[in-house]
Amino acid sequence: SGERTCPKTRQPLAHLSLAPNYALKNLILQWCDKHKVELQRREPEPVAEQDGHPREDIPSLVEALSSIHPDVQRKAAKKIRMLSKESPENRALIVGNGGIPALIGLLAYPDKKVQENTVTSLLNLSIDHGNKLLITKGGAIPLIIEILRNGSAEGQENSAATLFSLSMLDENKATIGTLGGIAPLVELLTNGTVRGKKDAATAIFNLILNQQNKVRATQAGIVPALMKVIDDRSLGMVDEALSIFLLLSSHPTCLGEIGTTPFVEKLVQLIKEGTPKNKECALSVLLELGSKKQTLLVHALRFGLHEHLSQIAKTGTSRAQRKANSLIQIAKKCY
């Protein structure tokens, strides 16, 4: 409609482009499935033929995944990837014809493009909640982690997205951590493409809802990796990094590494100069740290925090105002 201000922050929008949030869409679909809520969907377009192959070909394509001929396997993996993205009906047919074990059997294929198509097919299938358990029980997680470590750039990105999707099951959070999935995600967050970093951050956030994975992430170097993300403003991932810091700071083992004066100074800088959402997230982390180690809050106050707290308590977002007021109350005990 041409409105150029954000309805939440009332700040001017930098642009009017829309980008689909696939992670959120996946969460919504899972919630609807769990609570038996049927979403209104657009009428599906006729899918008599897709890329020259009717739906009736799905059983033969699944069979082709286990062919003794590498070219047949490659073509089948590519077509299954496309079909699994198209519709729930296609996904049901793929799964019903034994597609999940056949795809898992291809995850260790030496051709990186086949790995990429295979793991992406499993990502597409995992959108449907019931398939997550089938993929896990089929032994896919260690093979997906291996692609995350050594696959193509797109294979690594989609492996991270698949681990995020599978980790929606609480038992899978622990399994992924136990099988060594945290360290390669931290590596992708550090050295991956922009999309890879975003996929890694999303997966890490979900995985460290498990307490033991917080320790694993810290041991894998998540703190310096997140510091780099915050410093690189071009990534636009400050809020994601701070959200992960907030989860980590609730664990006593991780608190020691996070609770440093340079990090507190970085938080105060964001509270001074960041976007409204940056300020909100930075205040949340500082409140968690300051309530556990008052010396950190004292340092923040010396670094010029107090004047900004007063301002945010009046003009910040509703959540930021609550956090600022809580910090003001704790700060009074520090004087």
Side-chain angles (χ1 to χ4, degrees):
S1 61
E3 178 63 49
R4 295 198 67 90
T5 53
C6 171
K8 182 175 182 183
T9 67
R10 307 310 305 166
Q11 298 296 309
L13 296 171
H15 56 79
L16 297 179
S17 303
L18 298 177
N21 187 336
Y22 291 113
L24 183 57
K25 181 180 178 182
N26 192 13
L27 287 171
I28 292 168
L29 289 172
Q30 290 171 26
W31 186 93
C32 290
D33 182 63
K34 181 178 178 181
H35 293 87
K36 311 299 182 193
V37 174
E38 189 169 348
L39 280 176
Q40 275 194 325
R41 300 180 183 273
R42 288 178 297 178
E43 283 298 313
E45 296 178 12
V47 206
E49 296 221 349
Q50 301 170 51
D51 196 30
H53 288 270
R55 254 193 217 152
E56 290 72 22
D57 276 3
I58 285 178
S60 59
L61 284 171
V62 171
E63 190 176 342
L65 292 172
S66 305
S67 170
I68 59 171
H69 303 291
D71 283 347
V72 173
Q73 288 180 301
R74 285 191 197 98
K75 288 176 183 175
K78 183 177 179 181
K79 287 165 188 167
I80 289 286
R81 172 180 178 172
M82 291 160 52
L83 289 166
S84 63
K85 183 181 177 182
E86 291 288 338
S87 67
E89 293 78 14
N90 283 355
R91 292 193 285 275
L93 274 171
I94 291 166
V95 173
N97 283 278
I100 287 177
L103 286 165
I104 292 171
L106 272 185
L107 285 172
Y109 199 90
D111 184 315
K112 291 191 175 183
K113 192 66 186 175
V114 173
Q115 292 178 0
E116 180 188 306
N117 287 330
T118 303
V119 80
T120 308
S121 298
L122 289 171
L123 170 61
N124 295 337
L125 293 176
S126 74
I127 291 171
D128 300 329
H129 190 75
N131 293 340
K132 296 182 194 300
L133 196 56
L134 296 175
I135 292 169
T136 307
K137 284 186 172 179
I141 288 177
L143 298 168
I144 293 168
I145 291 171
E146 185 57 33
I147 297 173
L148 177 62
R149 286 195 186 100
N150 299 309
S152 65
E154 190 175 346
Q156 290 177 325
E157 293 161 3
N158 289 346
S159 293
T162 307
L163 290 178
F164 162 72
S165 180
L166 295 177
S167 70
M168 298 311 299
L169 297 179
D170 283 340
E171 60 266 35
N172 283 350
K173 290 181 177 68
T175 302
I176 292 166
T178 304
L179 291 172
I182 305 289
L185 284 170
V186 173
E187 173 66 22
L188 186 63
L189 180 65
T190 307
N191 297 313
T193 62
V194 174
R195 187 188 152 202
K197 289 175 190 287
K198 290 180 185 292
D199 286 330
T202 306
I204 289 167
F205 178 87
N206 211 40
L207 287 166
I208 63 172
L209 293 170
N210 173 282
Q211 285 291 93
Q212 191 56 41
N213 284 344
K214 293 177 183 178
V215 179
R216 293 184 178 111
T218 304
Q219 291 170 342
I222 187 67
V223 172
L226 291 172
M227 294 292 194
K228 283 178 65 177
V229 168
I230 289 176
D231 290 338
D232 187 355
R233 301 295 173 86
S234 65
L235 285 174
M237 292 177 59
V238 172
D239 298 334
E240 289 89 336
L242 290 173
S243 297
I244 294 172
F245 270 128
L246 182 59
L247 286 179
L248 291 172
S249 61
S250 67
H251 194 288
T253 303
C254 309
L255 181 63
E257 189 160 346
I258 298 168
T260 64
T261 52
F263 180 52
V264 166
E265 291 172 11
K266 198 181 291 282
L267 291 175
V268 174
Q269 203 67 34
L270 286 167
I271 292 166
K272 287 180 182 179
E273 301 171 357
T275 66
K277 184 67 176 174
N278 291 166
K279 295 180 184 198
E280 182 183 302
C281 293
L283 283 165
S284 298
V285 178
L286 187 57
L287 178 60
E288 186 70 32
L289 295 176
S291 61
K292 289 183 169 66
K293 292 175 70 174
Q294 283 197 359
T295 53
L296 294 174
L297 183 54
V298 169
H299 184 76
L301 292 166
R302 287 176 183 156
F303 200 65
L305 173 68
H306 197 278
E307 59 188 279
H308 300 285
L309 285 181
S310 304
Q311 184 183 356
I312 292 170
K314 295 174 186 172
T315 62
T317 64
S318 58
R319 181 167 177 247
Q321 287 181 12
R322 290 197 305 273
K323 301 297 180 183
N325 282 316
S326 296
L327 278 166
I328 288 169
Q329 294 307 311
I330 297 173
K332 287 177 181 175
K333 301 173 184 176
C334 298
Y335 294 126

